[in-house]
Amino acid sequence: MNDIENTQNDPDDVNAAVTESAQKPAGEPDPFVVLENLQLENAGLKDKLLRTLADMENLRRRTEKEVADAKTYGVTSFARDMLTFADNLHRAIANVPADVRAKAEPAVKSLIEGLELTDRDFASRLERYGVKKLDPQGQKFDPNLHEALFEQPDESVPTGTVVQVIEPGYVIGERVLRPAKVGVSRGGPKG
């Protein structure tokens, strides 16, 4: 029995068995290390792919917004310049008194009607490109849309109400192209 115990617990035999199983050919890497490295590389590539996809989605959204803004606001400078023309045309029509119109010769009446038609047509063309006229008469003063030129004492309307429009304002899309120049009430009930 002593011999059996000696062979089972012989340290040299145990070391030889461990050494045999651990020895591999010198050029072959450990498969567990290779697998772990591949898993790390796979996780890194997956992360890189997800980041790239997110960046591409953000770029796509940003580009869509820029294209939409360019379509909406691309005519801003031109439209702002055309507002002076619209104002002058409207002033020309408004400065013809009603009694002069009634007594005018047919050629002058045709000219006035042509100016009115041109004014309406021009306003509709501006609207087609997203330019809308602001008519704040009777509305509460909004500093984002209106420019107050003066205050007018008026107790019949709430304080801060637009009581007179000196020059109409215009917006394009959601942006103010030109604020309306207005007179605002003062002295009435708080509104």
Side-chain angles (χ1 to χ4, degrees):
M1 183 156 159
N2 214 3
D3 287 338
I4 295 173
E5 285 179 14
N6 285 343
T7 57
Q8 285 179 349
N9 294 329
D10 187 8
D12 291 332
D13 288 340
V14 172
N15 286 340
V18 170
T19 307
E20 270 181 47
S21 67
Q23 283 183 339
K24 294 183 175 48
E28 236 182 84
D30 185 10
F32 293 110
V33 172
V34 170
L35 180 62
E36 189 174 313
N37 288 341
L38 287 173
Q39 287 175 339
L40 288 173
E41 183 181 356
N42 186 22
L45 290 173
K46 185 176 181 181
D47 181 59
K48 201 176 202 179
L49 173 68
L50 291 175
R51 288 178 189 274
T52 302
L53 288 173
D55 285 346
M56 292 305 295
E57 181 64 21
N58 290 339
L59 177 65
R60 183 188 63 77
R61 285 186 191 145
R62 194 170 38 247
T63 303
E64 282 178 357
K65 184 176 180 348
E66 288 173 1
V67 166
D69 283 353
K71 285 181 181 177
T72 302
Y73 303 115
V75 297
T76 299
S77 295
F78 178 73
R80 190 174 287 123
D81 288 342
M82 291 295 100
L83 295 182
T84 306
F85 170 76
D87 291 339
N88 290 336
L89 185 58
H90 187 72
R91 282 187 203 109
I93 295 168
N95 282 328
V96 178
D99 60 331
V100 172
R101 279 184 199 214
K103 297 175 187 175
E105 296 178 17
V108 175
K109 282 185 180 180
S110 293
L111 175 66
I112 293 169
E113 289 171 3
L115 288 173
E116 290 171 339
L117 179 65
T118 302
D119 185 40
R120 286 191 304 270
D121 182 56
F122 189 70
S124 71
R125 288 177 192 271
L126 285 176
E127 280 191 35
R128 196 174 317 146
Y129 288 97
V131 178
K132 293 183 181 123
K133 188 175 186 178
L134 297 176
D135 187 19
Q137 183 74 33
Q139 297 177 2
K140 182 160 179 55
F141 176 75
D142 181 354
N144 298 315
L145 300 173
H146 313 136
E147 180 182 335
L149 298 180
F150 59 89
E151 287 186 332
Q152 180 175 332
D154 189 350
E155 294 180 7
S156 66
V157 294
T159 297
T161 301
V162 175
V163 291
Q164 186 176 358
V165 178
I166 306 302
E167 186 176 73
Y170 290 87
V171 293
I172 184 168
E174 295 178 8
R175 297 181 188 169
V176 175
L177 196 56
R178 181 180 77 190
K181 294 181 179 162
V182 299
V184 181
S185 68
R186 172 176 52 115
K190 302 261 181 197

